[in-house]
Protein backbone atom coordinates (compact mmCIF):
# COMPACT_ATOMS: atom_id res chain seq x y z
CA UNK A 1 0.00 0.00 0.00
CA UNK A 2 1.34 3.41 -0.96
CA UNK A 3 0.32 6.34 1.25
CA UNK A 4 0.92 9.96 0.27
CA UNK A 5 0.04 13.05 2.31
CA UNK A 6 -0.76 16.43 0.74
CA UNK A 7 -1.40 19.47 2.95
CA UNK A 8 -3.67 21.52 0.69
CA UNK A 9 -5.98 24.48 0.46
CA UNK A 10 -6.72 27.54 2.56
CA UNK A 11 -5.39 26.11 5.83
CA UNK A 12 -3.17 23.22 4.75
CA UNK A 13 -5.58 20.37 5.41
CA UNK A 14 -4.10 16.89 4.90
CA UNK A 15 -5.39 14.96 1.91
CA UNK A 16 -4.39 11.29 1.99
CA UNK A 17 -3.97 9.23 -1.15
CA UNK A 18 -3.89 5.44 -0.80
CA UNK A 19 -2.78 3.32 -3.72
CA UNK A 20 -2.98 -0.46 -3.59
CA UNK A 21 0.09 -1.53 -5.55
CA UNK A 22 -1.41 -4.87 -6.59
CA UNK A 23 -4.84 -3.88 -7.92
CA UNK A 24 -3.75 -0.31 -8.78
CA UNK A 25 -6.92 0.95 -7.14
CA UNK A 26 -6.68 4.26 -5.28
CA UNK A 27 -8.76 6.04 -2.65
CA UNK A 28 -8.56 9.67 -1.63
CA UNK A 29 -9.45 10.76 1.91
CA UNK A 30 -10.45 14.46 2.13
CA UNK A 31 -9.42 16.98 -0.51
CA UNK A 32 -8.99 20.57 0.65
CA UNK A 33 -7.44 21.97 -2.52
CA UNK A 34 -6.11 21.49 -6.03
CA UNK A 35 -5.99 17.86 -7.19
CA UNK A 36 -3.07 18.11 -9.63
CA UNK A 37 -0.40 16.57 -7.37
CA UNK A 38 -2.77 13.66 -6.82
CA UNK A 39 -3.36 13.27 -10.53
CA UNK A 40 0.42 13.17 -11.10
CA UNK A 41 0.91 10.50 -8.44
CA UNK A 42 -1.90 8.36 -9.86
CA UNK A 43 -0.41 8.59 -13.34
CA UNK A 44 3.08 7.77 -12.06
CA UNK A 45 1.71 4.59 -10.49
CA UNK A 46 -0.66 3.76 -13.31
CA UNK A 47 -3.46 3.73 -10.73
CA UNK A 48 -7.16 4.58 -10.98
CA UNK A 49 -9.05 6.58 -8.34
CA UNK A 50 -12.07 4.66 -7.08
CA UNK A 51 -13.68 7.14 -4.73
CA UNK A 52 -13.25 10.14 -2.46
CA UNK A 53 -14.06 9.56 1.22
CA UNK A 54 -14.62 12.34 3.71
CA UNK A 55 -13.80 12.29 7.42
CA UNK A 56 -16.38 15.08 7.86
CA UNK A 57 -18.07 17.90 6.00
CA UNK A 58 -16.03 20.99 6.95
CA UNK A 59 -15.06 23.30 4.12
CA UNK A 60 -11.31 22.86 4.47
CA UNK A 61 -11.62 19.09 3.80
CA UNK A 62 -13.81 19.29 0.70
CA UNK A 63 -12.78 22.41 -1.23
CA UNK A 64 -11.13 20.55 -4.11
CA UNK A 65 -13.75 17.87 -4.52
CA UNK A 66 -16.05 19.36 -7.13
CA UNK A 67 -13.15 19.77 -9.57
CA UNK A 68 -11.68 16.36 -8.72
CA UNK A 69 -15.05 14.67 -9.08
CA UNK A 70 -15.56 16.19 -12.49
CA UNK A 71 -12.09 15.17 -13.65
CA UNK A 72 -11.91 11.64 -12.23
CA UNK A 73 -15.64 10.83 -12.50
CA UNK A 74 -15.73 9.25 -9.05
CA UNK A 75 -18.33 9.24 -6.26
CA UNK A 76 -17.84 11.39 -3.15
CA UNK A 77 -18.87 9.90 0.19
CA UNK A 78 -19.64 11.48 3.56
CA UNK A 79 -21.43 10.29 6.71
CA UNK A 80 -25.18 10.93 6.53
CA UNK A 81 -25.06 13.34 9.52
CA UNK A 82 -22.57 15.65 7.74
CA UNK A 83 -24.21 15.77 4.31
CA UNK A 84 -25.79 19.13 5.15
CA UNK A 85 -22.34 20.60 5.80
CA UNK A 86 -21.06 19.54 2.38
CA UNK A 87 -24.15 20.96 0.71
CA UNK A 88 -23.66 24.22 2.64
CA UNK A 89 -20.05 24.73 1.52
CA UNK A 90 -20.53 28.35 0.33
CA UNK A 91 -22.24 29.22 3.64
CA UNK A 92 -19.42 27.63 5.61
CA UNK A 93 -16.84 29.68 3.69
CA UNK A 94 -18.75 32.85 4.39
CA UNK A 95 -19.04 32.05 8.08
CA UNK A 96 -15.28 31.46 8.37
CA UNK A 97 -14.55 34.74 6.58
CA UNK A 98 -13.48 33.37 3.18
CA UNK A 99 -14.80 34.22 -0.27
CA UNK A 100 -17.74 31.91 -0.94
CA UNK A 101 -16.82 31.12 -4.54
CA UNK A 102 -16.45 27.33 -4.41
CA UNK A 103 -19.32 24.96 -5.05
CA UNK A 104 -19.71 21.59 -3.30
CA UNK A 105 -19.33 18.29 -5.18
CA UNK A 106 -22.38 17.68 -7.35
CA UNK A 107 -23.36 14.27 -6.12
CA UNK A 108 -22.65 13.16 -2.56
CA UNK A 109 -23.40 9.63 -1.37
CA UNK A 110 -23.89 8.99 2.35
CA UNK A 111 -22.67 6.15 4.53
CA UNK A 112 -23.22 5.13 8.14
CA UNK A 113 -21.36 3.43 10.99
CA UNK A 114 -19.81 0.07 10.06
CA UNK A 115 -19.95 0.60 6.32
CA UNK A 116 -16.95 -0.84 4.52
CA UNK A 117 -15.08 0.43 1.47
CA UNK A 118 -12.77 -1.80 -0.53
CA UNK A 119 -9.39 -0.97 -2.00
CA UNK A 120 -8.06 -4.01 -3.85
CA UNK A 121 -8.76 -6.89 -1.48
CA UNK A 122 -8.37 -4.70 1.61
CA UNK A 123 -11.13 -3.17 3.69
CA UNK A 124 -11.51 0.40 4.91
CA UNK A 125 -13.81 0.43 7.92
CA UNK A 126 -15.92 3.39 9.02
CA UNK A 127 -15.84 4.27 12.71
CA UNK A 128 -18.44 6.93 13.53
CA UNK A 129 -16.79 9.39 15.93
CA UNK A 130 -19.21 12.31 16.45
CA UNK A 131 -18.13 15.33 18.49
CA UNK A 132 -16.18 17.66 16.20
CA UNK A 133 -19.18 17.46 13.86
CA UNK A 134 -22.24 15.15 14.05
CA UNK A 135 -21.04 13.06 11.11
CA UNK A 136 -17.31 12.93 11.86
CA UNK A 137 -15.79 9.52 11.19
CA UNK A 138 -12.42 7.83 11.25
CA UNK A 139 -11.37 5.35 8.58
CA UNK A 140 -9.43 2.25 9.60
CA UNK A 141 -7.32 0.29 7.13
CA UNK A 142 -5.24 -2.42 8.83
CA UNK A 143 -3.23 -0.43 11.39
CA UNK A 144 -3.73 2.96 9.75
CA UNK A 145 -6.39 5.27 11.18
CA UNK A 146 -7.42 8.41 9.29
CA UNK A 147 -8.82 10.52 12.08
CA UNK A 148 -9.96 13.75 10.39
CA UNK A 149 -10.40 16.49 12.98
CA UNK A 150 -11.35 14.08 15.78
CA UNK A 151 -7.89 13.14 17.09
CA UNK A 152 -4.65 15.07 16.52
CA UNK A 153 -1.08 14.70 17.70
CA UNK A 154 -1.45 15.41 21.47
CA UNK A 155 -4.75 17.18 20.84
CA UNK A 156 -8.35 16.83 19.70
CA UNK A 157 -10.74 18.63 17.35
CA UNK A 158 -12.67 21.73 18.38
CA UNK A 159 -16.24 21.22 19.53
CA UNK A 160 -17.39 24.84 19.55
CA UNK A 161 -18.58 24.83 15.94
CA UNK A 162 -22.20 24.24 14.94
CA UNK A 163 -23.20 20.66 15.80
CA UNK A 164 -20.14 20.03 17.98
CA UNK A 165 -20.25 18.25 21.33
CA UNK A 166 -17.36 17.74 23.74
CA UNK A 167 -19.25 14.94 25.54
CA UNK A 168 -19.65 13.04 22.26
CA UNK A 169 -16.04 13.69 21.27
CA UNK A 170 -14.92 12.37 24.63
CA UNK A 171 -16.94 9.15 24.10
CA UNK A 172 -15.69 8.76 20.55
CA UNK A 173 -12.06 9.00 21.62
CA UNK A 174 -12.07 7.08 24.88
CA UNK A 175 -14.68 4.42 23.98
CA UNK A 176 -13.83 3.85 20.31
CA UNK A 177 -10.40 5.11 19.25
CA UNK A 178 -8.55 4.26 22.47
CA UNK A 179 -9.88 0.68 22.16
CA UNK A 180 -7.81 0.19 19.01
CA UNK A 181 -4.36 -1.42 19.19
CA UNK A 182 -1.64 0.82 20.62
CA UNK A 183 0.46 0.46 17.47
CA UNK A 184 -2.30 1.83 15.21
CA UNK A 185 -0.85 4.81 13.33
CA UNK A 186 -3.03 7.91 13.35
CA UNK A 187 -3.14 10.20 10.30
CA UNK A 188 -5.05 13.35 11.25
CA UNK A 189 -6.65 16.06 9.13
CA UNK A 190 -4.06 18.61 10.25
CA UNK A 191 -0.42 18.50 11.32
CA UNK A 192 1.69 15.43 11.90
CA UNK A 193 0.91 11.77 12.46
CA UNK A 194 0.84 10.02 15.81
CA UNK A 195 -0.33 6.67 17.16
CA UNK A 196 -2.97 5.38 19.56
CA UNK A 197 -0.54 4.23 22.27
CA UNK A 198 1.15 7.64 22.35
CA UNK A 199 -2.16 9.52 22.55
CA UNK A 200 -3.45 7.25 25.32
CA UNK A 201 -0.49 8.48 27.37
CA UNK A 202 0.21 12.02 26.23
CA UNK A 203 -2.94 13.49 24.68
CA UNK A 204 -3.54 16.87 26.37
CA UNK A 205 -7.25 16.12 26.87
CA UNK A 206 -7.53 12.36 27.30
CA UNK A 207 -3.99 11.06 27.89
CA UNK A 208 -3.47 9.10 31.13
CA UNK A 209 -0.49 11.31 32.04
CA UNK A 210 -2.62 14.46 31.87
CA UNK A 211 -5.69 13.43 33.82
ZN1 LIG B 1 -13.21 20.17 10.86
ZN1 LIG C 1 -10.07 20.64 9.40
Amino acid sequence: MILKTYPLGLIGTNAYLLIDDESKEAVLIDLGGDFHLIKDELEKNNAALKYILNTHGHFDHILGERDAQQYFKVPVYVHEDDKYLVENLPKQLERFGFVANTLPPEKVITFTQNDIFKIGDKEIKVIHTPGHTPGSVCFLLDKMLFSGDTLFYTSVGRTDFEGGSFAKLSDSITQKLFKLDDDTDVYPGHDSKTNIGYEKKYNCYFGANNI
Side-chain angles (χ1 to χ4, degrees), residues 55-61 132-133 136 148-149 152 158 161 190:
T55 58
H56 63 299
H58 273 156
F59 73 97
D60 58 307
H61 296 250
H132 175 64
T133 63
S136 277
D149 289 358
F152 295 122
R158 289 172 62 167
F161 300 130
H190 301 274

Side-chain angles (χ1 to χ4, degrees), residues 3-77:
L3 170 63
K4 295 271 174 185
T5 310
Y6 304 93
L8 296 173
L10 295 172
I11 53 173
T13 303
N14 291 328
Y16 292 104
L17 178 66
L18 287 158
I19 301 176
D20 175 48
D21 13 23
E22 275 169 40
S23 66
K24 299 289 179 192
E25 285 182 351
V27 173
L28 186 56
I29 298 175
D30 294 346
L31 180 61
D34 189 282
F35 67 85
H36 284 93
L37 291 173
I38 287 142
K39 173 178 162 276
D40 292 348
E41 188 65 28
L42 289 167
E43 282 170 3
K44 195 176 100 191
N45 288 282
N46 215 358
L49 191 64
K50 211 174 164 189
Y51 28 59
I52 300 173
L53 306 180
N54 284 297
T55 58
H56 63 299
H58 273 156
F59 73 97
D60 58 307
H61 296 250
I62 61 173
L63 273 175
E65 294 185 2
R66 188 184 180 90
D67 288 349
Q69 184 182 46
Q70 277 172 356
Y71 182 83
F72 294 112
K73 311 265 183 280
V74 292
V76 169
Y77 287 89

